[in-house]
Amino acid sequence: MIQDFSGSLILRGNKILMFYNEEKNFWDVPSGKRQESELSADAASRISEEFTGCNSEVLKYQRKFKTKFQSSEGEATWQPYMVEIEGNSEEGEWVETEEINSKQLSPPLQEISEKLAD
């Protein structure tokens, strides 16, 4: 069974909000599994709010960044969305998009990092 993950690309200017996962030793954007019967866009909003503590609004699905990767539980699909948050997150780090390749990235971000830097 293929797992479905939603990812939230939260951009401000040329910076993207990223979070360091100490357990897995990589940087990621707010990402997580879609719950049963939950739409991918709703998952992206929920996950954004869990990571940032801010209200969020999904703006647009980013099909060009959709990717498949191997998770610890098998094959997975990552569904990315542009998301806007209200206010400033107390969590995470704003990273210049051209600097993301200098970080150890999650599998989905590794796949799209070149496109994202553009």
Side-chain angles (χ1 to χ4, degrees), residues 50-94:
E50 288 172 1
F51 273 79
T52 66
C54 301
N55 291 331
S56 69
E57 179 183 356
V58 172
L59 302 177
K60 184 177 181 185
Y61 177 59
Q62 295 295 300
R63 182 179 307 276
K64 67 182 177 182
F65 296 139
K66 178 181 174 182
T67 189
K68 292 190 184 302
F69 68 99
Q70 288 297 316
S71 77
S72 59
E73 299 170 31
E75 188 176 15
T77 301
W78 189 69
Q79 308 275 358
Y81 291 84
M82 293 298 296
V83 175
E84 188 172 288
I85 60 170
E86 290 180 12
N88 291 308
S89 175
E90 297 289 323
E91 306 297 325
E93 181 179 319
W94 290 98

Side-chain angles (χ1 to χ4, degrees), residues 12-34:
R12 292 212 174 136
N14 61 341
K15 294 183 178 181
I16 186 166
L17 186 57
M18 299 184 75
F19 294 82
Y20 185 70
N21 183 323
E22 290 183 20
E23 181 180 308
K24 295 184 179 176
N25 195 32
F26 59 57
W27 287 85
D28 202 356
V29 295
S31 297
K33 289 183 189 176
R34 184 177 57 83

